[in-house]
Amino acid sequence: MAKDKIAYVCENCGQESTKWIGKCPSCGQWNTFKEIRVENKTSRPSGRTNTGVSLLAKSTAEKARPMKLNEISSKEEPRIDMGDAELNRVLGGGLVAGSITLLGGEPGIGKSTLVLQTILRMHSKRILYVSGEESGHQLKMRAERLSERDNYGMNDNLMVLPETSLENIFDHIAEVKPEIVIIDSIQTISTEDVESSAGSISQVRECASSLLRFAKTSGVPVILIGHINKDGALAGPKILEHIVDTVIQFEGDQQNMYRILRAIKNRFGSTSELGIYEMRQDGLRQVSNPSELLLSQDHEGLSGVAITAAIEGLRPFLVETQALVSTAAYGTPQRSATGFDHRRLNMLLAVLEKRVGFKLLQKDVFLNIAGGLRVTDTAMDLSVIAAVLSSNVDMPIESGWCMAGEVGLSGEVRSVARIDQRIAEAEKLGFQHFILPKHNLQGLDTKKFRIELHPVRKVEEALRELFGN
């Protein structure tokens, strides 16, 4: 009988090695290589011959052959409607048959609630929910609470299985023959083929690989739920993200009511889409128009607040940028940003000091994106500078002003993409003035907008429009 082989995998990037290495040659991190046992396929015990495991053997029985590219079918992958507009958008139009999707997020953020309230609506699909963390009684109580809110009743085609053994799970899959399989969570599942505890690198890797083979051979989509660690990365080896087809992450502050669903990896759609939910006591509610909820009710007369028209994915929405500038209480001034890139904030402060002439060297600067959002759109630059300057001089920006523009190192306001959608969103919510880059006027039909447009070339011109001379 052949012996099992020992390999080493980097927890951070998934790089493999035949020996232990102190520093990963791929990502440069130290002490991230962990030992895993790679079992020789010929030493696998043959005593277990159940239908579930035989499903995985089909892929090895049927050998692939090379094909010409024009011989391969190019038909569109069939999608399963999840009954949730936000989730469908992030997935790229729905769940693809035979795909494996990883949903990650912090413990308690609402991952299980999102999945459970989604599948409760899918009465036409036979679904197997495998729970390794909660008992069937706990899931029943949560399902009753969610069903009472939307009044869509209990799903008779939903089957719950409290189980952590992968072999037993495949036995029940062969018996139930579900159309969708959900594993909550992948860190609690273990297989007899690996001699380590559940949640270890080798267990997570082997279980995910087996579920991937099952999804591809049977055409049944699998949804894996996974936790993230303290660094904000998905728990388990990084190779788990390489195995699955789609990685979506559920983000948000537990002290805040809003939750953000975004795609990190998607083989069947865009990774720039964004879904927004509002967490309530009776479950998650879809936010179809985030602009109205992300803007505070009344900020008139308050300094340090600027409104920008941002775009995440295909949807534009207005975001409230808040800034606070105060004299440094200690020797070293603080620079803090919540929901915005900290390094970009430092760059914009340098531009404000060098090109505009405002000295912020001895002052603390705090920046916050209202609503708990994390925005990566560079069109936020202009509103960040406006909010910082408004707080510094303690002069509020008049209500009815919105803006969008990227700021360069020389102080110029650079053009941004899809300016017409940004202007239309601001006009729809009742704003009367919009500051935009002058270069964006080229090819823009200004006659279709009733909002007053203020094109600018430099940061000084934008600040002059907002605060006068």
Side-chain angles (χ1 to χ4, degrees):
M1 184 178 290
K3 292 184 178 180
D4 297 343
K5 294 186 293 185
I6 300 297
Y8 296 87
V9 176
C10 174
E11 283 185 312
N12 188 55
C13 67
Q15 175 75 22
E16 295 188 29
S17 174
T18 56
K19 62 180 181 179
W20 186 86
I21 306 175
K23 182 180 180 180
C24 177
S26 178
C27 63
Q29 298 294 317
W30 286 88
N31 299 323
T32 56
F33 274 87
K34 302 296 181 183
E35 178 183 314
I36 65 169
R37 187 179 299 274
V38 181
E39 184 168 355
N40 193 296
K41 300 299 179 184
T42 60
S43 65
R44 200 179 283 264
S46 58
R48 189 179 183 90
T49 57
N50 56 64
T51 311
V53 177
S54 67
L55 288 173
L56 304 181
K58 291 182 180 178
S59 59
T60 58
E62 300 174 1
K63 291 185 178 180
R65 63 178 182 84
M67 299 175 62
K68 292 182 179 180
L69 185 60
N70 56 11
E71 294 178 354
I72 301 174
S73 173
S74 60
K75 64 178 182 180
E76 207 172 311
E77 293 288 345
R79 302 270 183 172
I80 299 174
D81 184 10
M82 303 300 290
D84 186 318
E86 300 294 307
L87 182 58
N88 282 337
R89 179 189 293 111
V90 176
L91 289 173
L95 193 64
V96 177
S99 66
I100 182 166
T101 302
L102 177 62
L103 172 62
E106 295 179 356
I109 203 68
K111 303 182 298 296
S112 301
T113 301
L114 173 64
V115 173
L116 186 58
Q117 76 176 30
T118 300
I119 60 178
L120 280 172
R121 303 189 188 101
M122 303 174 67
H123 293 272
S124 61
K125 297 291 182 181
R126 190 166 55 256
I127 303 170
L128 179 63
Y129 189 105
V130 181
S131 175
E133 298 180 347
E134 295 181 283
S135 66
H137 179 65
Q138 290 174 301
L139 285 171
K140 178 64 181 299
M141 290 192 299
R142 180 185 297 180
E144 287 177 344
R145 187 178 73 248
L146 296 173
S147 299
E148 288 175 1
R149 183 195 70 175
D150 291 339
N151 196 24
Y152 44 69
M154 203 63 68
N155 189 350
D156 294 332
N157 285 329
L158 174 60
M159 300 186 181
V160 176
L161 174 64
E163 182 60 73
T164 58
S165 170
L166 184 65
E167 286 74 19
N168 293 338
I169 291 171
F170 280 125
D171 285 342
H172 291 289
I173 288 176
E175 179 184 347
V176 175
K177 294 181 174 58
E179 296 173 84
I180 299 176
V181 175
I182 295 162
I183 307 294
D184 185 10
S185 67
I186 185 62
Q187 280 89 12
T188 62
I189 307 301
S190 61
T191 175
E192 298 173 359
D193 296 334
V194 178
E195 296 180 358
S196 60
S197 60
S200 62
I201 295 179
S202 51
Q203 283 284 7
V204 171
R205 175 180 176 174
E206 185 64 28
C207 291
S209 298
S210 298
L211 290 166
L212 173 67
R213 290 195 296 272
F214 162 73
K216 298 305 178 186
T217 55
S218 65
V220 176
V222 178
I223 298 177
L224 307 178
I225 298 177
H227 299 301
I228 63 173
N229 55 29
K230 60 182 180 181
D231 296 326
L234 286 162
K238 194 72 174 177
I239 198 170
L240 182 61
E241 296 186 24
H242 305 327
I243 292 174
V244 301
D245 297 313
T246 306
V247 180
I248 53 179
Q249 192 153 327
F250 211 31
E251 305 171 352
D253 186 0
Q254 293 191 12
Q255 309 301 321
N256 200 298
M257 69 179 71
Y258 299 115
R259 301 287 186 267
I260 311 299
L261 187 68
R262 68 174 78 237
I264 301 175
K265 169 189 175 182
N266 193 351
R267 288 175 178 160
F268 309 107
S270 172
T271 57
S272 59
E273 288 296 347
L274 194 73
I276 301 179
Y277 294 87
E278 182 184 6
M279 175 60 83
R280 296 182 173 183
Q281 288 187 347
D282 53 359
L284 292 160
R285 188 184 70 85
Q286 302 176 46
V287 178
S288 57
N289 187 8
S291 297
E292 295 181 356
L293 293 176
L294 294 176
L295 299 179
S296 63
Q297 297 297 321
D298 183 17
H299 60 267
E300 188 173 354
L302 302 177
S303 62
V305 178
I307 309 299
T308 186
I311 285 184
E312 288 286 336
L314 298 177
R315 67 196 307 188
F317 53 89
L318 303 189
V319 182
E320 182 178 308
T321 307
Q322 302 172 346
L324 176 63
V325 180
S326 61
T327 304
Y330 306 99
T332 305
Q334 300 182 58
R335 301 285 189 266
S336 176
T338 303
F340 191 77
D341 188 7
H342 186 269
R343 292 171 296 182
R344 195 162 188 87
L345 172 63
N346 289 331
M347 183 200 78
L348 295 175
L349 293 178
V351 170
L352 191 59
E353 185 165 338
K354 177 74 173 178
R355 304 299 179 187
V356 187
F358 285 89
K359 304 300 181 183
L360 302 171
L361 190 62
Q362 299 300 324
K363 295 189 175 182
D364 295 334
V365 178
F366 303 95
L367 187 72
N368 177 53
I369 305 301
L373 281 178
R374 179 171 58 86
V375 184
T376 57
D377 191 0
T378 54
M380 294 280 298
D381 292 354
L382 199 57
S383 68
V384 170
I385 284 184
V388 169
L389 184 59
S390 170
S391 178
N392 184 47
V393 298
D394 199 18
M395 183 182 297
I397 298 174
E398 292 184 11
S399 60
W401 284 78
C402 186
M403 64 201 76
E406 180 185 352
V407 175
L409 291 178
S410 59
E412 79 277 15
V413 180
R414 304 172 62 87
S415 61
V416 295
R418 294 156 59 188
I419 190 66
D420 52 342
Q421 296 184 27
R422 301 175 193 265
I423 298 173
E425 182 72 12
E427 185 178 10
K428 184 177 71 174
L429 291 178
F431 285 81
Q432 296 88 32
H433 303 275
F434 194 96
I435 299 178
L436 73 160
K438 192 170 185 178
H439 187 70
N440 274 124
L441 285 179
Q442 298 180 6
L444 180 66
D445 184 11
T446 58
K447 296 180 180 179
K448 65 179 182 179
F449 299 114
R450 295 190 305 273
I451 189 173
E452 186 177 351
L453 302 179
H454 302 266
V456 295
R457 290 181 59 252
K458 296 183 178 180
V459 174
E460 300 98 305
E461 298 177 19
L463 298 179
R464 217 174 285 126
E465 294 282 353
L466 289 171
F467 303 103
N469 298 325

